[in-house]
Amino acid sequence: MGLLVRKLNSLGTLTAAEHRLLCDHPLVVRDVGPDQDLVREGDEPVHCLLLLEGFACRNKSLRDGRRQILAFNIPGDFVDLCSYLTQPMDHSISTLTQVKVGTIPHGTIADWTERFPNLCRLLWRDTLIDAAINREWMVNVGRRSAYQRIAHILCEMAVRLHAVGLAQDYSCDLPITQGELADATGLSTVHVNRVIQELRGDGLIALNGRSFTALDWEGLKRAADFDPLYLNQLAAARGHSGQVI
Amino acid sequence: MGLLVRKLNSLGTLTAAEHRLLCDHPLVVRDVGPDQDLVREGDEPVHCLLLLEGFACRNKSLRDGRRQILAFNIPGDFVDLCSYLTQPMDHSISTLTQVKVGTIPHGTIADWTERFPNLCRLLWRDTLIDAAINREWMVNVGRRSAYQRIAHILCEMAVRLHAVGLAQDYSCDLPITQGELADATGLSTVHVNRVIQELRGDGLIALNGRSFTALDWEGLKRAADFDPLYLNQLAAARGHSGQVI
DNA sequence: CGTCGTCTTGACCAAAGTCAACGCACGTGG
DNA sequence: CCACGTGCGTTGACTTTGGTCAAGACGACG
């Protein structure tokens, strides 16, 4: 539960009792391979999933097979906390890589939130930040050019991975294919490929296989019109770890 | 507070004590003209707004002036409940028409939610349904054709307005300009105009000025690939008012 | 009656999609 | 150890969707 404690502490302050509660909770861990659905649209899960290792994504598919990726999930993310209060699922959660997930029964969350209003607020806030990321993605897909979209999503991943210690010196492991990037940005795979080459040509990024480096962080941010405010609103407002990169 | 009670009761069940609490709360009401910002990106509001009459929208602007509308708000919507837990605002709320809004101090909400876990859950659920609408819009903008996007957004508005009693016989007052529809769908005004004419030509809709009628509801739903599940997840699951149209 | 915002139309343009093929790395099985 | 298949990245030629620019129509309102 260390990851969860760390995450919630970045959103506010856990009391000692809450800290103990979470640390004492025995987490059931499950291993899942790449390209599997952790939860499927229409499911009515009875527990929430905490992503401990690996990458996943939130996505919705149309009947004709096209799909939209709504968010990338990284270690520490409470992947489907929303299933605690909204059923059935209106979207799926799929793994991108091999992952480890912890499962927490809805009953446990109900118990926690009734007894600890502060913890409840932190969990609620976590879902609100997910929503904020969604909003930013919507602007991305609706109003930015292909070049800006890709740059923006790369900026976001760099900041978020840095925040959980999975990026150093502007580089990180990014096991996301160009096809997945296309589904996340509302573009075609072919066009994503061309844009990435343009970004490479402009000296902004290095991206080969699973490894990503922002060669010119400031330039990339400028190209993307990136403002990390939406990612960690409270932390930033309180002057905490905030501006990580 | 009748509107709020009605809305929360559609998301779950208020206890008698909660019902009384809400009904006894003296709501401060404010009138605002059209095309005004109720809350602006960067603000740190100290109260939440409940939309009582009129239409508004949640939106984000880019520095170059392009903007994306993230959601349309209709009477009964808790327009910026998210400001209770995430500050500062990462987006703006603007009026589309003359509106009446009720203001509820964050302190009041904090008090309510600490004392009434069930009410807290209902409010939390309300923010989660907002998020679900956002997700559907993202699919709309990212993966549907212009024709489908407009059809889809019209379906959504019809269902939501019907749910609060503002639509009968497949028609309703819809004071949204084509320019605003463009900002909501990630299209240009000109293209929205052409698509609307195509929808008219196909006998699916009548849309003049502020009045909208779905002439062929089933056809419109089919064209939009519309599934209202995401709008009222719990109500639908429990077999409540659910499928309104 | 004039002005302003919105809707409408046409001519033209550009961004991104589609289709198809190929290269390349990696893993698997003979 | 090599042939083969598979998934991903890359490229080119061509098409389509939707954007841009510009002008006119229409209606509400002062």
Side-chain angles (χ1 to χ4, degrees):
Chain A
M1 298 295 279
L3 259 178
L4 181 57
V5 168
R6 175 180 180 163
K7 164 150 220 167
L8 293 178
N9 259 323
S10 82
L11 300 181
T13 311
L14 286 168
T15 64
E18 288 162 355
H19 189 99
R20 218 171 316 115
L21 179 80
L22 294 176
C23 289
D24 290 351
H25 180 75
L27 195 58
V28 177
V29 177
R30 194 153 63 95
D31 281 279
V32 182
D35 294 312
Q36 306 292 312
D37 288 337
L38 292 173
V39 191
R40 220 177 302 245
E41 188 173 339
D43 282 0
E44 307 201 358
V46 295
H47 46 241
C48 290
L49 300 173
L50 188 60
L51 186 57
L52 302 172
E53 280 177 29
F55 284 66
C57 71
R58 191 182 297 275
N59 63 92
K60 263 182 116 138
S61 291
L62 298 181
R63 231 169 299 109
D64 65 10
R66 284 177 296 179
R67 76 163 181 173
Q68 176 70 41
I69 291 181
L70 304 157
F72 288 122
N73 293 301
I74 65 173
D77 282 357
F78 220 135
V79 153
D80 71 336
L81 185 48
C82 61
S83 76
Y84 166 51
L85 289 175
T86 55
Q87 300 258 353
M89 293 289 293
D90 68 315
H91 62 278
S92 303
I93 311 279
S94 315
T95 60
L96 298 175
T97 65
Q98 174 91 20
V99 305
K100 269 193 206 311
V101 287
T103 62
I104 303 178
H106 285 170
T108 304
I109 295 178
D111 176 58
W112 289 353
T113 52
E114 297 227 350
R115 287 162 53 207
F116 300 94
N118 176 61
L119 176 56
C120 177
R121 258 196 305 276
L122 294 183
L123 291 173
W124 188 354
R125 178 175 291 147
D126 186 55
T127 64
L128 289 174
I129 290 181
D130 266 6
I133 295 180
N134 260 278
R135 285 192 287 268
E136 188 62 45
W137 278 44
M138 202 155 137
V139 176
N140 213 30
V141 172
R143 284 296 180 222
R144 280 196 261 257
S145 69
Y147 189 86
Q148 293 177 300
R149 286 183 218 186
I150 302 286
H152 198 279
I153 228 164
L154 291 174
C155 285
E156 178 185 309
M157 292 310 288
V159 169
R160 287 173 58 202
L161 287 169
H162 187 102
V164 292
L166 291 175
Q168 300 85 25
D169 303 330
Y170 306 107
S171 47
C172 54
D173 185 45
L174 196 70
I176 297 176
T177 68
Q178 295 184 1
E180 286 150 358
L181 230 32
D183 283 340
T185 50
L187 299 167
S188 68
T189 308
V190 172
H191 201 59
V192 166
N193 181 275
R194 292 195 239 264
V195 168
I196 284 176
Q197 293 185 50
E198 217 180 320
L199 286 163
R200 282 193 194 117
D202 294 345
L204 298 178
I205 65 167
L207 185 56
N208 324 285
R210 325 175 21 134
S211 122
F212 165 65
T213 306
L215 296 175
D216 173 4
W217 176 246
E218 289 305 324
L220 189 62
K221 272 171 57 173
R222 217 174 314 115
D225 191 23
F226 180 74
D227 174 357
L229 183 72
Y230 70 100
L231 285 174
N232 45 0
Q233 314 190 36
L234 202 81
R238 294 187 315 177
H240 270 193
S241 54
Q243 272 13 317
V244 283
I245 292 195
Chain B
M1 297 295 278
L3 260 177
L4 181 56
V5 167
R6 175 180 179 161
K7 165 148 218 167
L8 293 178
N9 260 323
S10 82
L11 300 181
T13 312
L14 287 169
T15 64
E18 288 162 357
H19 188 98
R20 217 171 315 114
L21 179 79
L22 294 177
C23 289
D24 290 352
H25 181 75
L27 196 59
V28 178
V29 177
R30 194 153 62 95
D31 280 279
V32 182
D35 294 314
Q36 306 291 314
D37 288 338
L38 292 173
V39 191
R40 219 176 301 247
E41 187 173 341
D43 282 359
E44 308 202 357
V46 295
H47 47 242
C48 291
L49 300 173
L50 188 59
L51 186 57
L52 303 172
E53 280 177 31
F55 284 65
C57 71
R58 193 182 295 278
N59 63 90
K60 267 182 111 137
S61 292
L62 298 181
R63 232 170 297 110
D64 64 13
R66 283 177 297 181
R67 77 165 179 170
Q68 177 69 40
I69 291 181
L70 304 158
F72 288 122
N73 294 302
I74 65 174
D77 282 358
F78 221 135
V79 152
D80 70 336
L81 185 48
C82 62
S83 75
Y84 167 52
L85 289 174
T86 54
Q87 300 256 353
M89 293 288 294
D90 68 316
H91 61 278
S92 303
I93 311 278
S94 315
T95 60
L96 298 176
T97 65
Q98 175 91 19
V99 304
K100 270 192 205 311
V101 288
T103 60
I104 303 177
H106 285 170
T108 303
I109 296 178
D111 176 58
W112 289 353
T113 53
E114 297 228 351
R115 286 162 53 208
F116 299 95
N118 177 60
L119 176 56
C120 176
R121 258 196 306 276
L122 293 183
L123 292 172
W124 187 354
R125 178 174 292 144
D126 186 55
T127 64
L128 289 174
I129 290 181
D130 265 8
I133 295 181
N134 260 281
R135 285 191 288 268
E136 188 62 46
W137 278 44
M138 202 156 136
V139 176
N140 213 29
V141 173
R143 284 296 180 222
R144 280 195 262 257
S145 69
Y147 189 84
Q148 292 177 301
R149 284 183 219 186
I150 302 287
H152 199 278
I153 229 164
L154 291 174
C155 285
E156 178 185 309
M157 292 311 287
V159 169
R160 287 174 58 203
L161 288 169
H162 187 100
V164 292
L166 292 174
Q168 298 86 26
D169 303 330
Y170 306 107
S171 47
C172 54
D173 184 47
L174 197 70
I176 298 176
T177 67
Q178 295 184 2
E180 286 150 359
L181 230 32
D183 283 340
T185 50
L187 300 168
S188 68
T189 308
V190 172
H191 201 60
V192 166
N193 181 275
R194 291 196 239 264
V195 168
I196 284 176
Q197 294 186 49
E198 216 181 320
L199 286 164
R200 282 194 194 117
D202 294 344
L204 297 178
I205 65 167
L207 185 56
N208 325 285
R210 324 176 21 134
S211 121
F212 164 65
T213 305
L215 296 175
D216 174 4
W217 176 245
E218 289 305 324
L220 189 62
K221 271 171 60 173
R222 216 173 316 114
D225 191 23
F226 180 74
D227 174 357
L229 183 71
Y230 70 101
L231 285 175
N232 47 358
Q233 314 190 35
L234 204 80
R238 294 186 315 177
H240 269 192
S241 56
Q243 273 13 318
V244 283
I245 293 195

